[in-house]
Amino acid sequence: MVSLLICIFAADTVTNFEIAFAVFYIAVILIAVGFLSARGVAVLASICIGLTVFSLFLTQRGSFEAGLLNCGISTCAIGITTYLALKIVAAQAAVFDAQEQFARMARLTRLGELTASIAHEVNQPLAAVATSADACRRWLDHSPPNLERARQAAERIAVDARRASDVIVRVRRLAKNEAPHRERVDLNEAAVEAIGMAEHEIERNSISLQMNLADDLPSVMADKIQIQQVISNLLINAIEAMTGVPSFKRELTISSSRDEGGSVVFAVADSGSGMKQSTLDHLFEAFWTTKESGMGIGLTISRSIIEAHGGIISVTSAPRMGAVVQFSLPAAEEKQA
Ligand SMILES: Nc1ncnc2c1ncn2[C@@H]1O[C@H](COP(=O)(O)OP(=O)(O)OP(=O)(O)O)[C@@H](O)[C@H]1O
Ligand SMILES: [Mg+2]
């Protein structure tokens, strides 16, 4: 940098007044912008202007007026270049800051979504733990205490607590966009287990449950816990949708079948409030809910899980006509004999 400054100064001084060599100081400024601070660039620009003026008095050849004019032009060029270069650098710094802030916000949003998803998904196993704990206490308070039933309730507590921790692992995996863990899953069996966990709610709401599970269903390659999370979310939505209809009209139908393409289809149909078109348009949007205490993420999580398994989830419904929520998953390859 210093040698470049000296070269330009020397050339500007030995050449005629008519040659405006000093405009080359612009190159020095543009180079300096890459590694000097704004203050450093401003000081360097002042030095360049000083050298331009100094060389005007040292130059011997040519017309002084032309030299004066060129000195003015060079000084203006250096000044304008410095101003614009500093503006560009400031704008780049602002963009960089904004990007950093955006990345921080995105991290926070992801964290918020993860927290909300975990809170949503562990709710059901935790509610089951609380129910079993109440039952356990009641069996112990009996006189004489029914130790066998109390032990069964304690076992259910252990199973549901383990389930809550399994669910947290699955939600974290989903949030990190990791491919689901795959094992051969019998969807009917997984569904019966998930329905068992919601049994208490189904009974408490006097809902009549009908199961139409196909016998010859092929298995699917899936993460069983995640698929059960989906089934639980659909069951809870169906149960909640029926709170507004008289208890004798509350019907929940669970069915599984195989479609023409060979995929396994699982459907939850209810006789609840149904949905308007405006609800159907937003169903899968995160944090979209029509419920006072809803989080609006049950279906969002369910869709992420089904799509991560290469499946499809869809809803058909009309106001007061109940709703059918179904998903399909590709069947696993048949086992070689
Ligand atoms: N079976 C159903 N019958 C009628 N409406 C439904 C049904 N399932 C979902 N909905 C509508 O879709 C909305 C979104 O459902 P989603 O499960 O994503 O969230 P939520 O149930 O409102 O809250 P949460 O996150 O706690 O589950 C619900 O608020 C409800 O309006
Ligand atoms: Mg829900």
Side-chain angles (χ1 to χ4, degrees), residues 46-239:
S46 317
I47 294 172
C48 292
I49 291 171
L51 290 175
T52 308
V53 176
F54 188 37
S55 115
L56 175 71
F57 294 106
L58 295 182
T59 303
Q60 304 290 326
R61 288 183 287 168
S63 132
F64 184 75
E65 284 88 63
L68 201 58
L69 188 66
N70 280 341
C71 177
I73 291 171
S74 302
T75 306
C76 284
I78 293 168
I80 291 169
T81 305
T82 308
Y83 174 76
L84 291 178
L86 289 179
K87 274 256 174 205
I88 290 169
V89 168
Q92 279 170 344
V95 169
F96 186 72
D97 274 0
Q99 276 171 344
E100 286 245 297
Q101 200 166 339
F102 185 74
R104 262 200 309 275
M105 299 265 292
R107 268 204 304 277
L108 273 179
T109 309
R110 274 206 303 279
L111 191 66
E113 281 171 5
L114 177 66
T115 313
S117 304
I118 290 177
H120 185 272
E121 297 300 285
V122 294
N123 211 17
Q124 208 251 349
L126 287 187
V129 167
T131 308
S132 302
D134 281 346
C136 184
R137 198 179 322 112
R138 272 199 311 276
W139 292 123
L140 290 175
D141 286 347
H142 254 234
S143 67
N146 189 330
L147 292 181
E148 179 50 25
R149 301 301 290 267
R151 194 183 56 79
Q152 285 169 3
E155 267 167 19
R156 282 201 305 276
I157 293 175
V159 169
D160 287 324
R162 211 168 306 124
R163 179 166 202 87
S165 93
D166 283 348
V167 162
I168 292 175
V169 172
R170 296 318 193 277
V171 174
R172 286 179 56 185
R173 210 177 271 169
L174 194 67
K176 282 201 253 164
N177 276 334
E178 280 176 22
H181 155 84
R182 307 276 175 136
E183 59 180 327
R184 211 168 258 277
V185 175
D186 176 341
L187 204 57
N188 285 345
E189 203 183 286
V192 169
E193 275 179 37
I195 295 162
M197 288 183 277
E199 211 161 26
H200 178 73
E201 282 301 298
I202 295 174
E203 275 169 21
R204 199 169 64 86
N205 287 281
S206 320
I207 293 170
S208 97
L209 172 67
Q210 194 177 339
M211 310 252 263
N212 298 331
L213 304 180
D215 297 330
D216 55 344
L217 215 57
S219 21
V220 292
M221 293 306 287
D223 182 323
K224 187 174 167 190
I225 303 270
Q226 284 192 340
I227 297 302
Q228 287 181 326
Q229 277 176 250
V230 175
I231 298 174
S232 290
N233 287 340
L234 304 189
L235 289 176
I236 293 168
N237 277 351
I239 295 169

